Amino acid sequence: MSAAVPAPRAARLAGVLRQVGPVRCALTAGLLLATVVLLGHDRAVRHAEACASAFLVRSTWGPDALCVADNTLYRVGGQLVGHTVTIGCSAVVLLVPFVVVAALLLPVRRMPAVVTLGALGFAALVVAAVNQLRLLTIASGVHFWGLERGYGFTHVLGGSIVSTVGIVLGGLTFLVLLTRGAQVVRRG
């Protein structure tokens, strides 16, 4: 009786590459690399989110909102106030679970890669839009109730509710697009 000798790592890796396919491996690696790059350049992403927030505040509360680095500044009662988009407030962090699921699904041949990436892209849009709505909720609270009460109430309670609803909507969107999209592609 002879014991099975495990294949060397290079042979196992080549077997996985043949089974999964080079395109799916490249897509998975690219998705993970893009996520690491976005997390590594979070200041630029947060700046873009702060500028989008300033645009929404300008559109809602008047022309004086501006974006400085990762801050959205606006006037309330003649005083310059605002909010900062921290890494914990960024949509990029909220998207990490979706990216992990997509990275796990991409190598699975039963799930079409275009469906997986499309569902991830649409979920990313939903989460980014809801995150902007959360930032607008904070600015609206400050406009209605002043800096201390408005920010405290909307950041902790209102923002948490909006974020939770947004993550749930993003997750449901992701799952529906994955399951329905895979069925449509299989039916052809």
Side-chain angles (χ1 to χ4, degrees):
M1 209 193 271
S2 66
V5 177
R9 278 191 184 165
R12 281 187 288 188
L13 181 62
V16 168
L17 185 61
R18 272 192 308 277
Q19 184 179 10
V20 172
V23 172
R24 285 178 175 268
C25 287
L27 286 171
T28 303
L31 177 62
L32 293 173
L33 180 64
T35 304
V36 168
V37 167
L38 281 174
L39 288 170
H41 294 285
D42 67 289
R43 288 191 86 83
V45 173
R46 290 185 289 133
H47 173 71
E49 287 179 303
C51 290
S53 178
F55 173 77
L56 288 175
V57 172
R58 256 192 318 275
S59 300
T60 306
W61 295 109
D64 61 347
L66 62 130
C67 167
V68 177
D70 54 1
N71 301 297
T72 301
L73 304 172
Y74 41 91
R75 293 200 182 280
V76 175
Q79 182 182 8
L80 189 63
V81 297
H83 55 264
T84 302
V85 180
T86 63
I87 188 69
C89 293
S90 178
V92 172
V93 174
L94 300 173
L95 288 172
V96 169
F98 297 102
V99 171
V100 169
V101 170
L104 291 172
L105 288 176
L106 275 172
V108 178
R109 287 190 163 276
R110 293 189 63 159
M111 181 61 65
V114 73
V115 169
T116 302
L117 293 175
L120 176 63
F122 198 79
L125 289 175
V126 168
V127 170
V130 168
N131 198 49
Q132 286 300 314
L133 179 62
R134 178 177 123 348
L135 294 172
L136 184 60
T137 301
I138 293 169
S140 297
V142 171
H143 274 277
F144 284 129
W145 300 299
L147 182 59
E148 283 190 38
R149 262 184 60 211
Y151 182 81
F153 179 71
T154 57
H155 184 259
V156 175
L157 182 61
S160 297
I161 291 170
V162 171
S163 290
T164 302
V165 169
I167 292 296
V168 169
L169 284 176
L172 288 174
T173 302
F174 189 57
L175 289 175
V176 166
L177 289 174
L178 283 174
T179 56
R180 298 270 166 94
Q183 290 172 357
V184 168
V185 169
R186 278 191 214 114
R187 282 187 217 143

